[in-house]
Amino acid sequence: MSFSTEVSTNLKLALPIIAAQLTFMGFGVADTVMAGRLGGQALAAIAVGANIWMQPFVFFMGLAMAISAIVSHRLGAGNAPGSIGTFLRSALGLALLQGLVWMLIVRLAAAPVIQMLALDHSTAQLALDYLLAESWSAPLFCICFALRNTIEGVGVTAAIFVTGLCGLAVKILFNHLLLDEFGAVGFGWSAVIASVVMVAVYLTQYAVWPRLRALQLFERASAVSTAQALEMLRLGLPIGLILLAEVAFFGITSLLMARFGAEAVAAHQIAINFASIMFMVPLGVALATTVRVGHAAGAGAFGAALLRGKTGMGLGLVFALFSAALMGLKPEWITALYIEDGAVAAQAQTFLRFAALFQLADCLQATANGALRGLKDTRMPMLITLTAYWLIGMPFAYSLAFHFGYGPNALWWGFILGLALAGAGLSWRFLHKTKRSLGGPPSPPARRAGTVTGSP
C-alpha cells in the first residue's frame, strides 16, 4: 500500500472519531454554559465535580482502549468475526465490573476529596450531590467504552460519531428539562440518561450495521473468559495509567497556577481549553492508527505496520504545524473568542505561544502512543510517559516556577519539556520495535495486511 493510500485510509477512520470526540467534549461545555445561568456557586460546584470525575473517567477509558488493539490484531490474523463477538461478551462482563468499581470509588472518595478543597459548605454540598448523581453512569460508560473500542477495532468508526451525537443531544435536552427541578445536580442525572441512550444506540448499531452484525454479539450467551479478561487488563492497565498521568500532569499544573493569582488562572484556562480542543485531531488520528497498525501486526506484516505508524505520526505532525502556526502567530484571534479583559488576554496569548511550541511534541506523543497500542506494546510506553511527565517535566516546572522565581511561564515550560521527551521516546520506541520485528521470519502470504475480510 502506498503512502498516499494509507493517508486516505487513516483519515477515513479518523475523521468520524475526531467528530465523536468533539461531541463528548460537548458534554462538559453544555454543563458549564448552563451552570453559568445558575450563578457562580453552581459553576464552581460543577467545575470541582467535573475535575474529580475526570480522573477515574480517563483511567477506565484507557483500560478499554486495549480492546481496540486486541480486536484489530485478531481481525488482522484472520479470526472469524463470530470469535470477536465472543471476546466482546467477555469484555462487556469485565466492563460492568470495572464500572461498579468506578462507581464505588466515586461514592466513597467524593466527600473526603471535596472536604480537602476547603470550599464553602453550600458549594461543597452541591459538588458532592452532582458527583453522587453522575456516579450511577459509571457502569454504563464502561459498557460504552467496550462497545466503542470494539467498533474502532473493526473499523466502523462512523457508528461512534452517531452515538456521540445522540448522547450530546440527549445531554443538552435533559440538562434543560431537569434544570428547574434539580438545579446543577440535574446535570449529573442527565449524564446518566445520556449514557443509557448511548448504550442503546451502540447495541442497535450492533444489530443493524452489517460488519457489526457479523460479530454475532446477540447470538448466544457466553461466560466471561478469565484468560481474555487478563489479556485486557495486562494491556489496558498501562494505557489507563498513561492517560491518568497525562491528565494529572495538566490538572496539577492548573492547581499550581492558582498560586499566581486569578488572572494567571483565567489565562491558563483559556490556553489549555483551546489546546485541548486542538488535541482532538491528533487523538482521533492516534485511535485510527492503533487500528491500522493492529491489523497489520496481527497479520505479521510489520513492514505495513511501520508504514501505517509512520503515516499516523506524520499526519499528527502536519496538523501540529497548522495549530502551532495559529497559536503562535495569531493568539489574539483565539483570546478574542474567550475574553475582553486586556491583562488576562495578554497573559493567555503568552501561554498560547508556549502551547504552539509543544504542539509538535504533543501530536507526536499521541500518535506514537496510538501506533504502539497497535503493536500491543503498552508497558514501556507507560514508563516513558511517567518518566517524561512526572520525573522530569513536573520537577523542572515546579523548581523554576517556585524556587528560581520564573513564575507562571515556567509551568508551561514543564509542559514543553515533558511532552517533548514523551514524543521523542515513544516515536523511537515504535520505530525500534517495528524495525526489529522486520528482522524476524517473513509472514505467510495469507496473512498479509489488508487481505482480511472486514479490515479497513
Side-chain angles (χ1 to χ4, degrees):
M1 179 179 287
S2 68
F3 173 75
S4 59
T5 303
E6 179 56 29
V7 168
S8 175
T9 305
N10 188 300
L11 289 176
K12 184 179 178 181
L13 284 173
L15 289 175
I17 298 176
I18 294 167
Q21 290 301 126
L22 291 172
T23 66
F24 299 142
M25 284 194 72
F27 277 47
V29 173
D31 284 354
T32 301
V33 170
M34 300 188 79
R37 301 178 187 175
L38 299 174
Q41 184 183 81
L43 190 58
I46 292 298
V48 168
N51 278 308
I52 294 172
W53 177 257
M54 186 55 60
Q55 311 307 312
F57 184 95
V58 297
F59 176 73
F60 286 101
M61 182 176 68
L63 285 179
M65 284 184 177
I67 296 172
S68 174
I70 293 169
V71 169
S72 60
H73 259 254
R74 293 189 179 192
L75 287 177
N79 286 197
S83 69
I84 304 299
T86 301
F87 168 76
L88 175 55
R89 285 189 286 275
S90 289
L92 288 171
L94 182 61
L96 179 59
L97 178 61
Q98 290 171 348
L100 293 172
V101 171
W102 176 6
M103 182 173 69
L104 184 62
I105 290 171
V106 171
R107 298 186 75 82
L108 291 177
V113 170
I114 290 173
Q115 188 174 11
M116 290 169 55
L117 299 177
L119 300 169
D120 67 85
H121 176 74
S122 297
T123 303
Q125 187 61 50
L126 191 56
L128 177 61
D129 291 343
Y130 164 78
L131 272 173
L132 293 179
E134 190 160 28
S135 69
W136 291 101
S137 68
L140 294 160
F141 273 120
C142 281
I143 290 171
C144 283
F145 295 156
L147 294 169
R148 171 196 166 136
N149 278 279
T150 302
I151 288 172
E152 283 184 12
V154 173
V156 192
T157 53
I160 300 170
F161 172 60
V162 170
T163 305
L165 200 59
C166 291
L168 178 59
V170 170
K171 173 68 173 165
I172 293 172
L173 173 63
F174 279 89
N175 269 9
H176 177 73
L177 293 177
L178 299 176
L179 187 63
D180 291 337
E181 181 72 20
F182 296 97
V185 178
F187 301 161
W189 290 116
S190 67
V192 177
I193 297 169
S195 64
V196 170
V197 170
M198 288 192 293
V199 169
V201 173
Y202 273 132
L203 292 176
T204 300
Q205 290 178 110
Y206 273 89
V208 172
W209 286 70
R211 284 171 61 189
L212 297 178
R213 193 170 61 242
L215 304 185
Q216 302 173 10
L217 175 61
F218 307 107
E219 293 298 315
R220 58 189 181 276
S222 57
V224 175
S225 165
T226 303
Q228 291 180 340
L230 288 174
E231 182 184 12
M232 284 182 275
L233 288 174
R234 180 178 61 82
L235 290 176
L237 277 171
I239 301 172
L241 290 172
I242 288 171
L243 295 184
L244 186 59
E246 184 169 351
V247 168
F249 182 46
F250 283 88
I252 295 297
T253 303
S254 296
L255 294 176
L256 292 174
M257 191 66 70
R259 295 174 63 175
F260 296 106
E263 285 186 358
V265 172
H268 178 79
Q269 183 61 27
I270 290 170
I272 209 69
N273 180 260
F274 188 79
S276 297
I277 295 171
M278 293 293 100
F279 184 69
M280 292 302 103
V281 175
L283 178 59
V285 172
L287 295 171
T289 301
T290 295
V291 177
R292 295 298 296 154
V293 172
H295 280 122
F302 288 98
L306 178 61
L307 171 65
R308 293 174 181 191
K310 289 168 69 174
T311 301
M313 289 187 282
L315 286 171
L317 291 174
V318 168
F319 176 76
L321 291 172
F322 163 77
S323 58
L326 177 60
M327 286 187 262
L329 299 177
K330 292 295 179 182
E332 64 274 11
W333 291 359
I334 299 167
T335 56
L337 299 174
Y338 289 87
I339 198 168
E340 295 181 357
D341 185 293
V344 172
Q347 182 64 72
Q349 288 164 22
T350 298
F351 289 160
L352 282 165
R353 291 188 177 96
F354 290 140
L357 293 177
F358 75 51
Q359 284 302 292
L360 291 173
D362 199 15
C363 292
L364 183 60
Q365 68 84 19
T367 50
N369 241 326
L372 286 164
R373 286 196 300 271
L375 297 177
K376 297 169 72 173
D377 182 21
T378 59
R379 279 178 287 185
M380 183 56 70
M382 176 190 69
L383 295 176
I384 291 171
T385 301
L386 289 174
T387 300
Y389 294 161
W390 286 100
L391 296 184
I392 300 175
M394 180 58 74
F396 174 80
Y398 188 89
S399 297
L400 290 184
F402 299 108
H403 294 305
F404 292 94
Y406 285 95
N409 290 351
L411 296 178
W412 279 80
W413 300 344
F415 285 161
I416 295 169
L417 179 61
L419 290 166
L421 291 173
L426 293 167
S427 57
W428 174 86
R429 172 72 178 175
F430 174 75
L431 296 174
H432 173 74
K433 194 169 178 65
T434 47
K435 289 178 179 178
R436 187 177 62 184
S437 298
L438 284 171
S443 58
R447 300 285 179 154
R448 289 195 304 270
T451 63
V452 179
T453 301
S455 66

